[in-house]
Amino acid sequence: MTGSMTGRLLNNRYKISERVGVGGMAEVYRALDNVLGRAVAVKVMLPQYAENDDFTVRFRQEAAAAANLQSPYIVNVYDWGQDNGTYYIVMEFVRGSDLKNAINQRGAINQRKVAEIGSQVCQALSVAHGLDIIHRDIKPQNIMVQPDGNVKVMDFGIARAKNSTMSKTSAVLGTAHYISPEQAQGKELTPASDIYSLGVVLYESVTGKLPFDGEDAVSVAMKQVQEMPVPPSQVNPAIDADFEAIILKAMSKNPQERFATALEMRRALNDYLAGRTVNVGAFSPSAATAVIGPGRSAMGSGGGAYAPANSTSVMPKLAEESRVVNPETAANYRAPSTNAPRSKRPLVIGAAVVAVLLIVAGVAWALAQGARDGVNVPDVAGKTLEEATDAIQEAGLSVGSVTYAFDPNVESGKVTKQDPKGGSKAPLNSKVNLTLSEGAEQVEVPDLSNMTADEAQRALKAAGLKFTAGAAEHSSDVPQGKVARQSPEKGSQVPAGSNVTYYLSAGEETLKVPDVTGMSESQAKVTLENAGFKVEIEQAASSDVPKGSVIRQTPSAGSSVKSGTTVLITVSAGSESHTVKVSAGSGGTAWASSEMVSDGESVTVYYKADSGYMISQAVNTATGNKFQVSDNEEGSFTIPKVTSSMNISVTFVKKGGNAPSGNQGARGGNPPAAATAPGNGA
């Protein structure tokens, strides 16, 4: 079932995530309630019990009853049902650890804290008993201690289902350390049985030891019926006499001599905690021989008293009560009538004694075999402490020390090591020491910003981390060769030994400008933008490049520039030629750089005066507009735009003389050799 339950969705509502506990009859999983969006605990009955009709009927009745229990000290039952033969109960998800785990880790717990726990459990029991629900399985494993110190009692109702006929043996023997004498005898139980079990829990919590222990469950059950507990103060001398009296009264062998109700026991515990007088009344917790510590009276300081049984009555009572250790026969056993002839009672007693001796002999043989050959140590690696404890105890062993260690390969809270190892042999009742994982140790990722590769590697090693060098990245902020980026980021909490990748700066990113000359305007724009550049466009006339194609670009093709640089492309507007003619009067020569120019292009006019002459003026003969010229012998002037054909007239005059009258005509041919004029003369 364990493997198949994880990830399962029960009744389209409860999504099972992980197993958090296991017992003899059920497994407990953490789950998500998809309707209410909250974490819940889902207890799933094991198949061998779910297949029994008597059990399922009882289970449904008791689960419904448990759902009605309302107390801050009881784990709430939200829902119950079945899905394809799987019976389950949905409960409150309680954070914390069970009391048994605390005892195993710490040993004896502060007696006032134990009294507080007992008071809260009593309140839970009084609620249940008021609804005629007897827990029947009070033990520290069923008492959850929350982070705030308050407790929650688990498994109300389910324990009663365990006492169905088909499961009687496992119910009695499975929790023999905590069962009441009458439960060991298979008698009809009353709320007093829960009070006895709580007394055992308080005894163990305040001393760190169980009041009755033995080689197996049968011998422990026999001690519950026959033997007196060693007073807690003999195990832990620091225990107050008042608190000891409360514990021993709860553990009285006779149910009538225990506290009448859980509420009465709670009042006694609260009186103790408040420093008030504790009056437990007269009681006799013995069934055989009371053990009183040296120097201590059998009288409790609160006025109560417990007295040892008359030694002459020990054997008859022992023989009479010994019948109960076999729960299968105890269920059908009828006590001898007090009106029966006295001559028959010795026969009954003798038969009971013989039965007990046979059982003890069988147990002793089994124990002898285990002691001689040893028992197999179960492999509990990867189990929770509760799961490991159950497996170890079932093997006839017990849990020794419990320590914690970081282990990145084992989930926190689960066993990472055990001694002895699983699969080996160990003496019966010997201890198995456990190491629980705390998960991977968490470390903080250091800040590698602006470090060199060597500096970054040293910092990561010092933090207990591994490293990988990623591909260099361009950065406009970080110098080349220094760490520009890291993953995970600085300050992150990661498991020790994790890998951190650092990326060195390759300096500022530069790109080569692609050659787009000759491309169409749209093609050139797409090419440059895809390469990471911005684009500006201007137009110019060209007689050589078709209209709409790129004449030139700036920066030029192949230049290395920053990403995002703007590239200016000049697009041809086509060719439209205009004629510029230049004529000059006598006394000098003038000519244009080119007679044929395109629309929008400028043209330069050069002039050179003859010896003794200087330029006077230059005029557009069509418009009369004059061009600015220098009063010297040689120079040039520029016509910014040529939008139509034009004639330029240049006039020269003698130095110190007046301007000649009229235009003396154009000078044809090429300019004189001294003038290095481009193009043709006019």
Side-chain angles (χ1 to χ4, degrees):
M1 171 179 289
T2 300
S4 62
M5 287 304 300
T6 302
R8 183 171 168 183
L9 184 65
L10 293 177
N11 283 337
N12 294 317
R13 178 170 181 175
Y14 304 108
K15 181 72 172 179
I16 303 295
S17 58
E18 59 180 327
R19 191 175 73 171
V20 296
V22 63
M25 304 189 64
E27 293 177 311
V28 181
Y29 293 86
R30 182 171 182 168
L32 176 66
D33 182 343
N34 289 333
V35 174
L36 298 179
R38 65 182 175 185
V40 295
V42 177
K43 173 159 282 194
V44 179
M45 297 297 107
L46 295 174
Q48 60 266 38
Y49 299 106
E51 293 172 358
N52 185 286
D53 292 339
D54 292 337
F55 175 84
T56 56
V57 170
R58 191 71 173 270
F59 167 75
R60 287 195 297 269
Q61 294 172 346
E62 299 302 334
N68 294 323
L69 298 177
Q70 297 297 320
S71 166
Y73 307 119
I74 295 176
V75 175
N76 290 318
V77 175
Y78 298 139
D79 191 11
W80 59 274
Q82 68 93 17
D83 183 335
N84 292 325
T86 298
Y87 287 83
Y88 64 88
I89 293 177
V90 182
M91 302 176 293
E92 172 187 7
F93 185 81
V94 180
R95 301 182 186 280
S97 176
D98 63 67
L99 182 57
K100 185 69 172 182
N101 188 31
I103 297 170
N104 286 339
Q105 291 182 20
R106 298 165 51 185
I109 300 173
N110 177 275
Q111 59 185 326
R112 293 190 61 83
K113 181 59 185 174
V114 174
E116 290 174 2
I117 292 172
S119 175
Q120 293 178 4
V121 176
C122 282
Q123 198 277 345
L125 289 175
S126 66
V127 171
H129 295 167
L131 294 176
D132 196 28
I133 294 178
I134 303 169
H135 192 290
R136 305 189 180 209
D137 199 20
I138 291 293
K139 57 185 178 182
Q141 292 91 330
N142 280 335
I143 300 173
M144 293 294 295
V145 182
Q146 301 174 97
D148 64 0
N150 290 322
V151 303
K152 291 266 190 180
V153 182
M154 301 188 298
D155 283 0
F156 274 100
I158 303 172
R160 171 177 281 187
K162 287 181 181 179
N163 277 348
S164 61
T165 302
M166 61 92 184
S167 61
K168 186 171 295 295
T169 300
S170 62
V172 173
L173 299 186
T175 52
H177 289 104
Y178 305 97
I179 59 174
S180 64
E182 61 269 27
Q183 189 170 0
Q185 292 171 298
K187 292 181 179 179
E188 185 68 25
L189 300 188
T190 67
S193 179
D194 286 343
I195 291 174
Y196 180 93
S197 298
L198 177 56
V200 176
V201 170
L202 299 184
Y203 185 109
E204 181 185 12
S205 300
V206 82
T207 64
K209 297 181 180 298
L210 287 160
F212 303 113
D213 205 355
E215 297 174 341
D216 55 24
V218 172
S219 62
V220 174
M222 291 173 64
K223 290 180 180 180
Q224 298 282 18
V225 175
Q226 301 169 0
E227 296 185 8
M228 267 290 295
V230 174
S233 59
Q234 285 195 10
V235 183
N236 181 1
I239 297 174
D240 294 339
D242 282 348
F243 191 31
E244 179 178 66
I246 293 173
I247 294 173
L248 291 175
K249 181 177 178 68
M251 291 180 63
S252 295
K253 301 298 183 184
N254 184 351
Q256 301 300 320
E257 294 181 349
R258 299 171 202 157
F259 292 98
T261 63
L263 190 59
E264 180 182 308
M265 182 175 177
R266 184 170 189 247
R267 281 196 291 264
L269 289 167
N270 289 344
D271 285 343
Y272 163 69
L273 289 169
R276 296 188 290 265
T277 300
V278 177
N279 187 351
V280 297
F283 66 97
S284 174
S286 64
T289 304
V291 181
I292 306 299
R296 289 180 63 92
S297 167
M299 297 294 294
S301 64
Y306 54 92
N310 189 322
S311 59
T312 59
S313 63
V314 170
M315 279 306 295
K317 188 167 183 61
L318 171 61
E320 180 180 344
E321 293 187 341
S322 293
R323 69 184 185 278
V324 303
V325 291
N326 185 339
E328 296 296 342
T329 59
N332 300 315
Y333 178 81
R334 298 184 62 184
S337 170
T338 56
N339 296 323
R342 295 182 57 87
S343 59
K344 294 183 179 181
R345 292 180 60 84
L347 296 177
V348 175
I349 294 171
V353 171
V354 171
V356 170
L357 292 176
L358 289 174
I359 293 172
V360 172
V363 171
W365 180 85
L367 292 176
Q369 290 293 107
R372 185 188 65 188
D373 302 330
V375 296
N376 291 322
V377 178
D379 184 0
V380 295
K383 295 182 181 295
T384 64
L385 180 59
E386 180 184 5
E387 293 168 347
T389 300
D390 287 346
I392 290 169
Q393 290 178 346
E394 288 174 6
L397 305 168
S398 61
V399 175
S401 64
V402 178
T403 57
Y404 292 82
F406 292 111
D407 190 330
N409 301 315
V410 179
E411 182 181 345
S412 179
K414 296 191 174 179
V415 176
T416 180
K417 292 180 182 177
Q418 67 179 92
D419 180 25
K421 294 182 178 180
S424 62
K425 290 279 190 179
L428 186 68
N429 294 323
S430 62
K431 296 184 180 296
V432 178
N433 300 319
L434 301 177
T435 301
L436 298 184
S437 171
E438 289 188 278
E441 182 181 8
Q442 298 292 304
V443 298
E444 183 175 324
V445 177
D447 184 3
L448 308 179
S449 302
N450 285 294
M451 290 185 180
T452 64
D454 288 341
E455 291 170 342
Q457 291 174 10
R458 285 196 296 270
L460 292 171
K461 286 180 180 178
L465 298 168
K466 299 177 183 178
F467 55 83
T468 300
E473 299 179 348
H474 291 287
S475 172
S476 57
D477 303 320
V478 181
Q480 186 173 355
K482 300 291 184 70
V483 175
R485 183 170 67 90
Q486 66 184 82
S487 179
E489 296 180 352
K490 65 178 181 179
S492 302
Q493 294 291 327
V494 298
S498 296
N499 191 75
V500 176
T501 303
Y502 63 85
Y503 302 84
L504 298 179
S505 170
E508 196 166 12
E509 183 179 14
T510 59
L511 302 173
K512 288 189 177 298
V513 180
D515 186 0
V516 295
T517 55
M519 293 183 183
S520 67
E521 177 183 334
S522 61
Q523 184 181 5
K525 186 172 184 295
V526 170
T527 300
L528 289 168
E529 288 178 343
N530 287 344
F533 298 97
K534 299 177 182 177
V535 180
E536 285 188 6
I537 301 171
E538 68 173 10
Q539 290 190 336
S542 175
S543 58
D544 300 319
V545 179
K547 185 177 182 180
S549 296
V550 176
I551 302 170
R552 56 184 173 269
Q553 65 186 74
T554 304
S556 61
S559 301
S560 293
V561 296
K562 296 179 184 178
S563 175
T565 298
T566 298
V567 177
L568 174 65
I569 59 174
T570 303
V571 179
S572 172
S575 61
E576 186 178 349
S577 299
H578 302 283
T579 302
V580 178
K581 292 184 178 182
V582 180
S583 61
S586 61
T589 305
W591 67 97
S593 58
S594 176
E595 287 190 357
M596 301 297 292
V597 295
S598 299
D599 186 20
E601 291 288 336
S602 62
V603 67
T604 302
V605 177
Y606 300 91
Y607 60 87
K608 183 175 177 65
D610 293 340
S611 178
Y613 285 81
M614 64 181 182
I615 192 169
S616 172
Q617 65 179 11
V619 180
N620 184 341
T621 59
T623 64
N625 293 333
K626 294 182 179 181
F627 301 97
Q628 184 176 356
V629 295
S630 300
D631 186 13
N632 54 24
E633 294 85 1
E634 185 175 356
S636 64
F637 60 89
T638 300
I639 304 170
K641 263 187 183 181
V642 180
T643 58
S644 61
S645 297
M646 63 178 64
N647 291 318
I648 307 297
S649 174
V650 180
T651 303
F652 295 94
V653 295
K654 285 186 178 181
K655 293 180 181 179
N658 297 323
S661 59
N663 189 331
Q664 299 188 25
R667 298 279 297 273
N670 294 326
T676 58
N680 294 322

